[in-house]
Amino acid sequence: MSAVALPLVPARLGRFVLRRFRPQVYAAYGVLWVLALEGSAVALAGTAWRPTGATAVRAVSVVLTLLFLRMLDEQKDLAHDRVHHPDRPLVTGAISAAELRGAMAAVAVVVVALNALLSPVAAFLVLLPLGYALLLPVVERLSAPVREGQLLNLAVTYPVQVLVGAYVYLSLAVSGPVTADWRALPLLGLCAGVFLHFEFARKTAWESVPDDRLYSSALGPVGGAAAALAPVAVALLCDVVLFRPAGMLGLLPCLAALLPVAAAHRFLTARRGTWPLPPAMGYIVVTYLALVLQAVVRP
């Protein structure tokens, strides 16, 4: 890359982030995820929870990890995007693969440096999802079933999200406010249910075309709807096991499940179109905000 072009890289990366990462969505999700997970873990330990500087480090680390994953996916899906999404930045040349790889390296350095301020263990833990993610393009290149099977691909790629959640929980446990115990599993399960509902919902539709990468193409529209609701049931069960909810604030994460149920009724009744996404996004926001508020006021 020439010296003349080098100053243009931040602008090109900025435009990529605004278009393909949408900070108002991904960053908000990452921050809410960290606050809900950390706050719930501390509250369940019987300790008053308030965000700290370490909370900020975890939140920034998760948001940057999500950006890293977005950049990696953009490169991994390049061949598919050339055919089906010719307006994507990497396809049009608005940004190059080399620029994305350079940005990914910078992200890795930043998150390790930030977490080294917390502990060496935290610095190691934050690298795990990044390292696992880097293996995925290799696995997809070597395995046609993983590359072409939407459900198998999800099973192989989803552990990245588990590792991100484990980083938040374990880095918190290492620092002292939480002692890792059995409650980690339902807490991570609750977060998994919230994420997987949105993942299935955004790729469920009545109509499909070849190579559309919809879960409903493999499961059918009704099967896709069932797959979108199943994680909600898992999240609801985990919430009941953890919190034995009582009172309006405690019941709010349970009541949030009405949003996916209403969306499913609308989708199945219409028998056309795609799953309505506003209720799916609302489910994430209401559930995580309720968990944060519950952690703040929980005795």
Side-chain angles (χ1 to χ4, degrees):
M1 187 179 296
S2 69
V4 174
L6 199 57
L8 300 177
V9 173
R12 288 158 65 88
L13 284 170
R15 287 192 292 270
F16 171 85
V17 170
L18 290 174
R19 182 175 175 189
R20 296 297 296 138
F21 186 66
R22 291 178 296 164
Q24 70 275 21
V25 175
Y26 285 88
Y29 166 72
V31 171
L32 277 176
W33 183 11
V34 171
L35 295 180
L37 179 51
E38 178 181 310
S40 296
V42 173
L44 287 168
T47 306
W49 176 77
R50 294 294 183 272
T52 64
T55 308
V57 168
R58 295 184 188 100
V60 171
S61 297
V62 168
V63 171
L64 289 177
T65 297
L66 295 177
L67 177 58
F68 182 100
L69 298 176
R70 177 70 267 157
M71 292 175 172
L72 181 62
D73 282 347
E74 203 76 6
Q75 298 168 75
K76 183 166 62 73
D77 296 339
L78 179 58
H80 180 270
D81 290 343
R82 283 196 177 111
V83 177
H84 300 279
H85 303 285
D87 61 333
R88 295 276 170 87
L90 197 54
V91 178
T92 63
I95 198 165
S96 70
E99 289 166 342
L100 289 180
R101 288 193 293 270
M104 289 166 60
V107 165
V109 170
V110 169
V111 295
V112 170
L114 282 174
N115 283 273
L117 299 175
L118 301 182
S119 72
V121 175
F124 169 74
L125 290 169
V126 80
L127 276 176
L128 294 180
L130 305 185
Y132 186 89
L134 289 173
L135 293 175
L136 296 177
V138 178
V139 173
E140 290 191 11
R141 189 163 56 249
L142 296 176
S143 173
V146 173
R147 183 173 63 250
E148 299 168 4
Q150 192 68 8
L151 293 173
L152 180 58
N153 187 271
L154 176 64
V156 172
T157 59
Y158 179 69
V160 173
Q161 298 286 329
V162 176
L163 289 171
V164 174
Y167 149 72
V168 174
Y169 183 88
L170 292 176
S171 67
L172 184 67
V174 167
S175 65
V178 170
T179 300
D181 59 19
W182 66 269
R183 287 173 293 192
L185 294 179
L187 187 54
L188 294 175
L190 194 163
C191 295
V194 171
F195 169 81
L196 287 172
H197 166 66
F198 182 79
E199 173 65 15
F200 278 108
R202 74 187 183 95
K203 295 183 179 180
T204 295
W206 282 98
E207 301 83 15
S208 63
V209 295
D211 204 25
D212 57 11
R213 297 190 172 183
L214 297 178
Y215 297 113
S216 52
S217 296
L219 299 171
V222 176
L229 287 178
V232 177
V234 171
L236 187 60
L237 176 62
C238 291
D239 182 73
V240 171
V241 168
L242 286 169
F243 299 108
R244 296 179 178 82
M248 182 54 66
L249 184 57
L251 289 171
L252 195 52
C254 301
L255 295 175
L258 295 175
L259 291 169
V261 171
H265 179 267
R266 177 179 167 186
F267 175 76
L268 294 171
T269 302
R271 302 190 69 81
R272 59 183 177 84
T274 60
W275 186 285
L277 286 185
M281 292 185 287
Y283 172 65
I284 294 173
V285 172
V286 173
T287 301
Y288 280 164
L289 278 179
L291 290 174
V292 172
L293 291 173
Q294 189 172 273
V296 170
V297 304
R298 187 179 176 89

